[in-house]
Amino acid sequence: MIGQSRAVELLRRSLESERLSHAYLFVGKPHVGKTTLAINLAQTLNCDEKERPCGQCKSCLRIAAGNHPDVQIIGRWPSAEVGEAGMKKEISIAQIKELQRSAGLQPYEGKHRVFIIDGAEYLNEESANCLLKTLEEPPSNVLFILLTVNDGRLLPTIVSRCQRVELYPLSASVIEKALMERWQVVPDKAKVLSRLCRGAIGWAVSAAHDEKLLQERSEKLSGLIGLATETLDQRFAFAAGLAVQFSKSRDSAEEVLKLWVGWWRDILLVKEGCAKLVTNIDQEETLHNHAGWYDIAYIRGFIGAITTALEQMEQNANPRLALEVLMLSIPNKDKGEAQGKVPQHLGLPR
Ligand SMILES: [Zn+2]
């Protein structure tokens, strides 16, 4: 486990004093290490060696490979046990019922049964209430680990039954060092990835071995950068596209907006003479150009506008409307003032 020393320490102490909770809720941004920590904990409980987790014994290896009979990870992907196919919008009641059935059995070969629920915010009301019954009367030698990016989207009754453990984004220098030492990434690449990932080490590790991820990111970013010089019609077309994406995958659409916030924060950093701190270090020239186009007040204003749009979408506002309003707030090159003439149908003041 790289970083997360607070979380690791807390779990280590609970293990040593044999006061492990029967349910944990790991909260943290995507790719920050929630699954890795959960797997590490499951290995520690089932490892065959003295120094646990050894990472090398049969149990540790099978847990890491996802084929240990006593350790299950459930999420929104199709579940063969309950005969489902295709990615789902929610974690189904059938999956939770199956989980309850196997939680009632004795461990097959390990010492502890561990159930990891990835994306716990996707439990619907029915499946969450069903899980709640098990959390209220947990079988012995069973550990539940719920993973979520946002515990505000979980039923409060579920949250109150779990011990909350927060995982924080890692610093760029910690990630850079780990990429070079643990994953043998070359220094230049490690430097770029450690900044682009913004604390999400899992993304950096995947991107180090899969060129496609980096390419996808730069394609998304160039689409966003292009909006600065596009017409209102083109911006509205972009908003419409993103709204459709939002209806299919909330997370991926929000990711685009977060990428955009990051871009504008970088423009602000350059504008304020802190170019060394930018995230998009592979885009320095473009950042300097754009920083020359706007006054600081407009840059700040637009960062606020993106954040507002994200909040509104989080609170279930009409995504297309929120995004169209956002398009109208893009500062105009050279003047700064937004160019948008507010269309009649939005009914907003000019
Ligand atoms: Zn082991």
Side-chain angles (χ1 to χ4, degrees):
M1 188 77 206
I2 309 276
Q4 309 302 348
S5 49
R6 271 173 68 177
V8 171
E9 207 37 53
L10 183 140
L11 295 171
R12 193 197 310 278
R13 278 200 310 268
S14 310
L15 277 163
E16 277 168 5
S17 57
E18 295 182 359
R19 281 189 188 160
L20 205 64
S21 171
H22 67 270
Y24 285 94
L25 176 63
F26 291 175
V27 186
K29 277 174 58 169
H31 309 297
V32 86
K34 299 185 293 294
T35 310
T36 305
L37 186 59
I39 298 277
N40 275 198
L41 183 53
Q43 287 175 323
T44 308
L45 290 170
N46 285 299
C47 180
D48 305 327
E49 301 295 325
K50 256 189 174 172
E51 282 288 314
R52 297 176 296 152
C54 71
Q56 306 294 325
C57 70
K58 198 174 148 214
S59 297
C60 281
L61 291 173
R62 292 183 75 187
I63 291 170
N67 57 24
H68 192 291
D70 296 322
V71 178
Q72 287 178 27
I73 307 188
I74 69 164
R76 286 187 296 149
W77 49 87
S79 164
E81 282 85 16
V82 293
E84 290 168 332
M87 268 299 266
K88 297 165 302 184
K89 280 199 154 175
E90 297 169 324
I91 295 173
S92 67
I93 181 105
Q95 284 174 284
I96 299 299
K97 287 214 163 123
E98 170 62 22
L99 176 155
Q100 281 172 331
R101 192 193 61 79
S102 38
L105 305 171
Q106 285 300 309
Y108 280 107
E109 48 182 77
K111 298 143 193 146
H112 239 91
R113 281 189 167 267
V114 182
F115 297 93
I116 301 168
I117 303 177
D118 191 6
E121 66 272 31
Y122 292 101
L123 287 160
N124 59 30
E125 208 178 328
E126 197 185 15
S127 46
N129 278 317
C130 184
L131 177 66
L132 189 61
K133 280 183 207 130
T134 310
L135 294 180
E136 281 167 349
E137 286 167 40
S140 59
N141 286 336
V142 176
L143 174 68
F144 298 94
I145 310 173
L146 281 64
L147 316 180
T148 185
V149 293
N150 185 349
D151 52 342
R153 284 197 218 153
L154 267 72
L155 281 186
T157 40
I158 295 267
V159 178
S160 70
R161 290 278 161 192
C162 301
Q163 183 171 353
R164 190 179 186 280
V165 179
E166 183 137 7
L167 278 73
Y168 299 95
L170 302 184
S171 75
S173 57
V174 168
I175 296 176
E176 186 178 347
K177 190 163 170 263
L179 286 176
M180 291 189 293
E181 290 175 1
R182 174 102 56 112
W183 286 277
Q184 285 78 44
V185 178
V186 294
D188 281 353
K189 198 172 184 182
K191 187 173 183 187
V192 173
L193 290 176
S194 67
R195 273 144 192 87
L196 294 188
C197 73
R198 306 195 61 193
I201 188 168
W203 185 87
V205 172
S206 307
H209 301 105
D210 183 358
E211 288 293 330
K212 223 173 65 195
L213 280 178
L214 211 51
Q215 201 186 327
E216 272 171 20
R217 186 189 188 278
S218 30
E219 277 165 15
K220 272 185 212 156
L221 189 63
S222 28
L224 292 166
I225 296 171
L227 289 171
T229 48
E230 279 173 359
T231 64
L232 202 52
D233 280 347
Q234 287 169 312
R235 291 174 184 178
F236 274 18
F238 182 88
L242 194 55
V244 171
Q245 191 181 337
F246 184 85
S247 66
K248 288 180 190 152
S249 160
R250 218 183 159 108
D251 291 342
S252 79
E254 284 178 1
E255 208 180 294
V256 173
L257 289 183
K258 284 175 186 163
L259 194 62
W260 211 13
V261 175
W263 175 254
W264 281 87
R265 272 203 197 118
D266 280 357
I267 297 180
L268 185 63
L269 284 168
V270 172
K271 190 85 187 171
E272 295 194 331
C274 307
K276 273 188 183 157
L277 300 176
V278 301
T279 299
N280 296 283
I281 52 173
D282 52 342
Q283 296 276 354
E284 260 188 290
E285 203 186 321
T286 316
L287 280 170
H288 278 276
N289 283 339
H290 284 227
W293 295 351
Y294 315 104
D295 285 337
I296 282 191
Y298 290 113
I299 302 173
R300 284 185 195 280
F302 190 59
I303 293 171
I306 308 175
T307 315
T308 305
L310 268 165
E311 282 165 8
Q312 286 170 340
M313 285 159 73
E314 173 76 23
Q315 289 156 12
N316 296 322
N318 178 328
R320 180 149 178 188
L321 184 63
L323 290 168
E324 287 188 349
V325 171
L326 181 61
M327 294 301 142
L328 295 169
S329 328
I330 300 177
N332 207 6
K333 187 185 162 190
D334 298 327
K335 275 188 297 189
E337 222 171 297
Q339 71 159 4
K341 268 192 183 173
V342 180
Q344 292 287 307
H345 76 275
L346 292 176
L348 297 166
R350 289 199 171 190

